[in-house]
Amino acid sequence: MAATATSWLNDLTSLFTPTASQFDGAKGHKSSIQARLDYVLGVYRMFEIGSLRHGTGVWQYSDADYLVSLKGIQPTSALTMLTKVKEALQARFTSTTITIRQPAVVCHFSDGIVEVVPGYISSGGGYMIADPRGGWMKSFPEEHNKYVNEINAKHSGGGAKKLARHLKIWKYKRNVPVSSCYLEMRAAKFLSEETAYVPIIDLHYALKHLQSIELASMNDPTGLGSRFGSCSSDATKTDALPKLDTAVLRSKRALTYHLADDHDKAIEQLKLLFNR
């Protein structure tokens, strides 16, 4: 049977969906990271967050992400907190490259990358973590996961997570400096207002929506946390917007060819979109 745009997107989803075992190496460092931070700074709990936890991770690009709830008094500067966590881990894992990439401290282990997001319990619930744009932001990772799951369950086959994964694949393969968390929450919010999920149609209109709002920050759809920013700075947004324009053009062409039953040309545009 000849390939169609729909089957091509399904194959893309399968290819970039990580298997459960692909991150065993990275996840194996959790206990030693937690023990070190508890010894130096004090830890209430450490739990998995991010795209792998949500089921929207991208093979070869997503990392194992953990939020670490720290004891003590929240410092004035979020960077101070990140620096203390980095120094504590670097002293324990001396041969490992450890960097700060707000809101995380990134540990580049030989068998996988672990992103540690430190934070403090916030009054009223949630956690105060470093804002990539500077300062602090309130985050509710467990509630965000629940929100995505609820929207995902509305559509047969899990449309919200598939759309989020497609947007993330585009981001990574086309080197677009947009927050993965932002794309995931935008995908879920977009499909919350749709009655059905059709991959090639919703991919185009989700990208077109991002273009129409010029990657504007979004309110937390749960109504709990801080706004989600799309990019870490004005400079990165300036880099992202022309790439988004190109993506909208290619997804529109793919959709037009798809509706005309010209599957070869539709797939050709999808390959350009995802740099395949």
Side-chain angles (χ1 to χ4, degrees):
M1 183 176 179
T4 65
T6 300
S7 67
W8 191 90
L9 282 171
N10 287 337
D11 289 343
L12 183 79
T13 302
S14 297
L15 176 63
F16 283 96
T17 299
T19 65
S21 63
Q22 284 172 343
F23 296 90
D24 285 350
K27 292 180 179 180
H29 296 283
K30 176 181 181 292
S31 59
S32 56
I33 290 173
Q34 182 171 356
R36 176 61 181 175
L37 293 179
D38 189 35
Y39 175 74
V40 177
L41 301 172
V43 169
Y44 286 115
R45 62 187 293 228
M46 177 173 174
F47 58 97
E48 190 175 3
I49 60 171
S51 59
L52 294 180
R53 175 68 175 173
H54 292 187
T56 59
V58 176
W59 175 61
Q60 291 186 324
Y61 293 95
S62 296
D63 307 324
D65 302 305
Y66 294 93
L67 191 145
V68 179
S69 174
L70 297 175
K71 295 179 179 180
I73 299 173
Q74 178 183 327
T76 302
S77 168
L79 184 58
T80 297
M81 170 191 67
L82 293 169
T83 300
K84 287 182 177 180
V85 170
K86 177 185 181 298
E87 290 174 346
L89 294 177
Q90 193 68 79
R92 168 63 177 81
F93 306 105
T94 56
S95 61
T96 299
T97 298
I98 300 177
T99 59
I100 292 175
R101 187 171 68 215
Q102 297 195 68
V105 174
V106 186
C107 304
H108 300 262
F109 295 107
S110 60
D111 55 354
I113 297 175
V114 179
E115 294 201 16
V116 179
V117 179
Y120 291 88
I121 296 173
S122 173
S123 59
Y127 299 89
M128 298 303 297
I129 65 173
D131 189 325
R133 295 156 295 183
W136 295 90
M137 63 182 291
K138 183 178 285 191
S139 179
F140 290 79
E142 292 165 312
E143 285 77 7
H144 296 156
N145 188 24
K146 180 181 178 182
Y147 172 79
V148 173
N149 284 337
E150 288 175 350
I151 304 303
N152 197 58
K154 282 183 55 179
H155 302 286
S156 177
K161 293 186 179 183
K162 287 182 178 178
L163 178 58
R165 183 171 275 123
H166 289 160
L167 293 176
K168 290 181 185 183
I169 296 170
W170 162 70
K171 156 201 163 80
Y172 289 122
K173 296 300 290 183
R174 282 299 179 186
N175 194 28
V176 187
V178 178
S179 162
S180 293
C181 182
Y182 175 84
L183 292 177
E184 181 167 323
M185 299 308 290
R186 280 291 186 191
K189 183 66 169 62
F190 177 82
L191 284 183
S192 71
E193 302 169 3
E194 300 295 319
T195 57
Y197 170 64
V198 182
I200 190 166
I201 294 175
D202 289 309
L203 173 62
H204 168 64
Y205 284 105
L207 287 167
K208 186 175 178 62
H209 176 66
L210 293 175
Q211 181 191 48
S212 69
I213 62 173
E214 297 183 330
L215 295 175
S217 297
M218 69 179 292
N219 292 329
D220 183 343
T222 68
L224 296 171
S226 302
R227 283 166 61 83
F228 290 94
S230 60
C231 303
S232 60
S233 66
D234 290 340
T236 53
K237 181 180 283 191
T238 299
D239 181 22
L241 286 172
K243 295 177 180 179
L244 176 58
D245 292 340
T246 301
V248 171
L249 179 62
R250 287 169 173 166
S251 64
K252 181 179 180 180
R253 288 173 177 168
L255 177 56
T256 300
Y257 286 128
H258 168 74
L259 295 175
D261 287 329
D262 192 336
H263 303 303
D264 289 342
K265 287 186 177 179
I267 291 171
E268 182 180 286
Q269 291 300 314
L270 289 174
K271 287 181 177 178
L272 289 172
L273 174 64
F274 291 105
N275 195 24
R276 298 293 296 158

